Amino acid sequence: MQHKRIIGRLAPSPTGYLHLGNAWAFLCAWLGARSVGGRLILRIEDIDPQRSKPELAVALMEDLRWLGLDWDVGPYYQGERLTGYAAALENLKERGLIYPCFCTRKELRSLAGAPQQGDGAGDGLAGESVYPGLCRDLPEAEREERLRAGRSFSWRLRVAPAGGNLLASEFLQVNDLVMGRVEFTPEQAAGDFALCRSDGVFAYQLAVVLDDIAMGVNQVVRGADILHSTPRQLYLYSLLGAVPPAYAHIPLLLDHRGERLAKRHASISLRALRQAGVRPQAVVGWLAVWAGLAEVGVGGFQSMNATELLPEFSFRRINAAPGRLPADIAKVLGCGAL
Ligand code: GLU
């Protein structure tokens, strides 16, 4: 049997400098493709113009190279692919699968108290609030009236009903290369979801699926904080008549207090570490030991190049639980002996 060539991708958002959590995710995506002779695409996910900065895209490419990670194709920029997203949205509209939703964020917040992304234990199972379906079956006359009045609206996808506006069970299972079989409740997967915001910005869910299909991506490696989006993406694949990729959701690296890494963790951006004299091999070596991809050496971790992890790499070896960085990680990394 001939195996199809793996096509993976590095899909960073240029909304901040890469931190150790990003380094971990991109190292895994790189290893997942390169360990089996696969190809890698670089896609800059700058879909949200308010949050993305071109100089950060340049910086993150520098940081990826510094870490020893390369790619074969790209960079593609989502900001240059808007016509394709608009055409796909139009197609879904013609098929009667999306509807204008006039609900404001404030209204929705006051209606629902379900967990938001990022809540929970970093296991990726906490979804967003289930959309209460207010605009799903608006009488046509009412819809027209609101559109005529110039009310702002987002485009929401009508999900295959498991009852109400919840996703049908066939989309609620993910066979994950790291996490194994993961099952979601319809509520965790949220209900009808937005594909285009009221300010015209396309939703991550739509852009990422369209791009992965267009670029032939068949292996998606990303943080477990995105796991809860996967049922919605599986549903989009089915609507678009495409085969979903293999998924590997990797455990999150949290700060020493157990909080998600974010821009405020500037001191552990790859940039700051580099400026503090940390070497990329120390970052790779420490991550590898933390994740179970390399043995603990005498006196701690052993510095290494990403390529040294290739022969033994397997998603099954990754320890699937979220982990915390030591408070003095910069110091720890600074001690990495070659
Ligand atoms: N651009 C997303 C991020 O930086 C990744 C999206 C994905 O891998 O599906 O978190």
Side-chain angles (χ1 to χ4, degrees):
M1 203 176 81
Q2 214 189 339
H3 288 283
K4 88 184 156 197
R5 189 164 196 196
I6 292 295
I7 303 182
R9 38 66 156 192
L10 307 171
S13 302
T15 53
Y17 290 118
L18 295 190
H19 52 59
L20 282 171
N22 304 125
W24 162 232
F26 295 131
L27 175 63
C28 283
W30 185 88
L31 289 169
R34 293 294 191 225
S35 63
V36 289
R39 287 168 67 75
L40 272 162
I41 290 166
L42 176 67
R43 186 171 72 227
I44 309 288
E45 304 214 318
D46 58 349
I47 189 111
D48 187 341
Q50 271 146 32
R51 297 182 58 225
S52 307
K53 295 203 174 66
E55 61 274 22
L56 289 173
V58 174
L60 66 85
M61 286 188 266
E62 274 168 24
D63 292 348
L64 287 171
R65 287 196 192 97
W66 176 75
L67 211 53
L69 308 184
D70 63 347
W71 53 92
D72 306 294
V73 191
Y76 292 110
Y77 291 84
Q78 286 191 325
E80 293 171 1
R81 302 175 56 78
L82 304 183
T83 343
Y85 309 146
L89 198 71
E90 193 54 39
N91 174 273
L92 294 171
K93 188 156 91 189
E94 278 160 18
R95 292 162 65 190
L97 291 167
I98 57 174
Y99 59 89
C101 170
F102 303 92
C103 300
T104 61
R105 252 189 229 198
K106 203 166 145 209
E107 276 164 0
L108 293 177
R109 253 202 311 271
S110 69
L111 279 168
Q116 296 292 323
Q117 177 182 4
D119 285 358
D123 57 7
L125 291 174
E128 286 150 39
S129 312
V130 174
Y131 175 62
L134 299 177
C135 296
R136 183 180 170 98
D137 296 311
L138 274 188
E140 200 46 43
E142 174 69 25
R143 191 171 280 163
E144 289 302 320
E145 174 57 36
R146 292 188 188 188
L147 290 173
R148 252 197 316 273
R151 293 260 307 261
S152 74
F153 63 92
S154 55
W155 285 107
R156 221 173 252 282
L157 182 68
R158 221 172 257 284
V159 303
N165 66 344
L166 296 173
L167 205 51
S169 57
E170 60 188 292
F171 306 107
L172 297 173
Q173 293 150 20
V174 182
N175 281 318
D176 194 87
L177 294 168
V178 177
M179 306 249 173
R181 188 181 169 83
V182 186
E183 295 193 16
F184 291 83
T185 63
E187 288 76 18
Q188 282 170 327
D192 290 358
F193 56 96
L195 295 186
C196 186
R197 284 186 344 205
S198 59
D199 59 2
V201 172
F202 293 99
Y204 152 73
Q205 311 287 0
L206 180 69
V208 87
V209 169
L210 289 172
D211 283 348
D212 283 339
I213 294 173
M215 297 171 188
V217 170
N218 55 19
Q219 182 181 85
V220 165
V221 183
R222 58 191 180 190
D225 53 339
I226 307 184
L227 180 61
H228 72 287
S229 282
T230 309
R232 282 174 272 178
Q233 295 179 11
L234 290 175
Y235 182 55
L236 278 173
Y237 274 95
S238 100
L239 288 182
L240 297 165
V243 180
Y247 287 103
H249 287 91
I250 55 163
L252 284 198
L253 192 52
L254 308 169
D255 75 4
H256 66 282
R257 284 185 233 96
E259 282 174 28
R260 279 159 55 98
L261 298 184
K263 266 182 258 170
R264 66 179 180 282
H265 293 91
S267 62
I268 48 168
S269 69
L270 297 186
R271 238 136 240 255
L273 292 173
R274 179 161 89 212
Q275 275 151 21
V278 170
R279 308 184 48 160
Q281 292 85 353
V283 174
V284 170
W286 188 88
L287 288 172
V289 166
W290 167 71
L293 294 175
E295 305 296 323
V296 187
V298 186
F301 68 94
Q302 199 65 41
S303 291
M304 59 178 76
N305 290 311
T307 48
E308 291 176 66
L309 290 167
L310 288 172
E312 299 284 317
F313 179 77
S314 147
F315 284 113
R316 278 193 307 273
R317 289 186 63 188
I318 296 177
N319 152 29
R324 293 183 185 198
L325 285 167
D328 59 346
I329 182 68
K331 207 163 123 215
V332 173
L333 291 174
C335 300
L338 256 187

